[in-house]
Amino acid sequence: MRQIRKTYLLLALGTGLLPQTGMTAGVHQHGVAQLDVVIEPPALTLALHSPLANLVGFEHPPVTAEEQALWADLQQQMQQPGLQLVLPQAAGCSVQHSEMNNPFASHTEHTHEHEHEHEHEHNDEHHDDHDHADLTVEYRFHCVQPKHLTQLELPLMQNYPGIEKLEVRMLTPSGQHLHILQTSEQQLTLP
């Protein structure tokens, strides 16, 4: 989780891009996801931020067997970067690290701390409608031939139709860049 915060901090402080576009930490808009791309050859870091509803259709801790299965499938899928993005083979990139936050960690801790105090008050169907759960997953790659990082293929929106718009914020050797991809777009040219 520390690396995810570092990537966000690099983009927020290093680029100045966030204040210009109005994107800030904690922005939660259904249908919209953000992809942060940091290229520091030979390193490539990508961090995806999305409301959980875009990915599984709900934002509360999974209760039903169907919700639990959707959450388990999503966790498994997000640990496989090749399902979310395709890098040019000529760049020779290999995954060095991947990390995903648990959007329900604070709920689990709260539930565990108070389960005996409020046991008679809790109902599995009860959750605060104002709670928002966001998923952040980060992938770090080492690219042997970073000069061949010319494009990304992003099947992300095809895999998760709840994402209608993908805001791609990039920090590259050529500077800072912002691209907005719509549902039908799957390719991103890298500067």
Side-chain angles (χ1 to χ4, degrees):
M1 191 68 167
R2 188 176 317 158
Q3 185 63 31
I4 291 172
R5 288 187 190 125
K6 180 182 174 190
T7 300
Y8 179 78
L9 190 60
L10 275 172
L11 281 161
L13 297 175
T15 65
L17 189 61
L18 301 180
Q20 293 171 8
T21 62
M23 290 182 274
T24 58
V27 171
H28 182 97
Q29 184 178 357
H30 291 192
V32 178
Q34 292 87 29
L35 179 66
D36 297 332
V37 179
V38 178
I39 301 174
E40 295 177 289
L44 168 65
T45 304
L46 297 113
L48 172 67
H49 314 280
S50 177
L52 198 57
N54 292 348
L55 306 169
V56 291
F58 59 89
E59 293 187 346
H60 57 273
V63 176
T64 67
E66 180 184 4
E67 289 174 346
Q68 290 170 355
L70 286 169
W71 172 236
D73 287 348
L74 178 66
Q75 291 178 84
Q76 183 181 36
Q77 292 164 7
M78 287 296 168
Q79 293 304 317
Q80 300 176 54
L83 296 177
Q84 315 318 320
L85 56 105
V86 179
L87 301 172
Q89 206 167 19
C93 299
S94 60
V95 178
Q96 299 297 300
H97 180 76
S98 68
E99 185 175 353
M100 185 176 82
N101 75 318
N102 179 350
F104 305 123
S106 64
H107 174 79
T108 304
E109 291 167 13
H110 173 76
T111 301
H112 180 69
E113 290 172 6
H114 299 291
E115 66 184 351
H116 296 292
E117 292 176 24
H118 303 290
E119 191 171 16
H120 62 281
E121 295 175 20
H122 282 278
N123 177 341
D124 285 344
E125 296 298 317
H126 176 74
H127 58 86
D128 186 351
D129 290 336
H130 301 293
D131 285 348
H132 295 291
D134 294 306
L135 184 77
T136 298
V137 62
E138 181 177 289
Y139 307 112
R140 280 186 282 157
F141 297 87
H142 176 81
C143 301
V144 179
Q145 296 290 326
K147 67 182 177 189
H148 293 292
L149 283 174
T150 56
Q151 72 176 21
L152 289 177
E153 225 175 287
L154 299 164
L156 185 67
M157 288 187 284
Q158 183 179 16
N159 295 341
Y160 302 101
I163 300 174
E164 299 166 4
K165 181 169 73 170
L166 184 63
E167 297 172 346
V168 184
R169 305 174 291 193
M170 293 186 280
L171 181 58
T172 72
S174 69
Q176 62 188 14
H177 309 274
L178 174 66
H179 293 277
I180 308 294
L181 300 179
Q182 303 298 326
T183 305
S184 61
E185 299 174 276
Q186 290 189 40
Q187 286 196 335
L188 174 69
T189 301
L190 297 174

